[in-house]
Amino acid sequence: MRNSIGFLSLVLGILVVVAAIWQVFFAGNESLHINGADGAQRVLALPAVDSAESAAASRRASSRTPGFDDVPAGRAIDIVERLGVSAKRGDADAAFRIYAKLSRCFDHASHEVTEQIRAAYRSAGVGDEELDRAGRRLRDDCQGAEQLVASRGEWLELAAGQGDPEGMMLYAADPAAILGDGLISEMDPERVADYVERSVAFMDGLVDQGDPGAMLALSIMYGASELMPHDRVRSAAYRLAAERVAPLEVPSKPIGLAMTGLTVSQQEEAHAVAQEIVSRCCGH
């Protein structure tokens, strides 16, 4: 039972985190909406990426998603009370676990379990009865914590700021937790800019530790984000660095495709920057 429910929680979390990553950083053709915002007002959008690259990004995101072991058992209000003091005193793990619990409550309240999701769970061996039982347990855990859910970003920011790797990645992946729901265009520009700056800084910190997922994220951010200036040279460089650091995880693009639109000198610069990134983090 524990393994099945853990798998259930992990898959739900993966779907939410991957969607959030696409929402906050990537530009493309298919618009996403926040709280029913119409297409004419869209700010955040999905990129056009090939299936292999999407799968690689999903695998990296899944390794950062709060899974069963990250989400404390029990009522959310009790968990915040029990772990809150430690989190505020510098316990990054406690802060992350509070975020994980409140985030799970947010997901439960915001996302309907559709027939398509049920079918996916059935194919993984999780039946409807087990799924509904898990939903009831989560509903009970989250009862009375509706206002606390809105503070989940504060705990995530604490975890990320204290150097927790999962917190750093999910800070960049969960903009709604930090900025709130609504249109980016209606938010305080300085607050949005600060969020993007911190997200990039957290990704850079993970890159310095040799994390190919952060390299891949920065590649797409520099290449297609609507929230920051584009830099095609750095975009190509982070992509090349990710391929070199984790060739089995990050699918290689044909060099011509990776360098599309770059002049010969820019391509040479991208290779040089990629080597600098790899040398800085990984010593080769």
Side-chain angles (χ1 to χ4, degrees), residues 181-244:
D181 293 328
L183 294 170
I184 296 294
S185 59
E186 296 177 354
M187 296 178 180
D188 180 355
E190 291 187 5
R191 188 162 174 257
V192 174
D194 179 68
Y195 169 73
V196 173
E197 182 180 355
R198 295 201 73 190
S199 296
V200 172
F202 287 142
M203 293 302 96
D204 277 333
L206 292 174
V207 166
D208 287 344
Q209 298 174 33
D211 190 320
M215 295 174 191
L216 196 60
L218 282 171
S219 172
I220 302 176
M221 288 160 62
Y222 279 116
S225 174
E226 295 181 350
L227 303 182
M228 58 188 290
H230 293 178
D231 186 330
R232 291 184 300 172
V233 169
R234 295 192 71 78
S235 176
Y238 277 105
R239 172 76 203 197
L240 291 171
E243 292 177 7
R244 293 175 188 176

Side-chain angles (χ1 to χ4, degrees), residues 38-52:
D38 60 53
Q41 294 178 306
R42 81 168 176 82
V43 175
L44 308 177
L46 282 169
V49 294
D50 59 75
S51 58

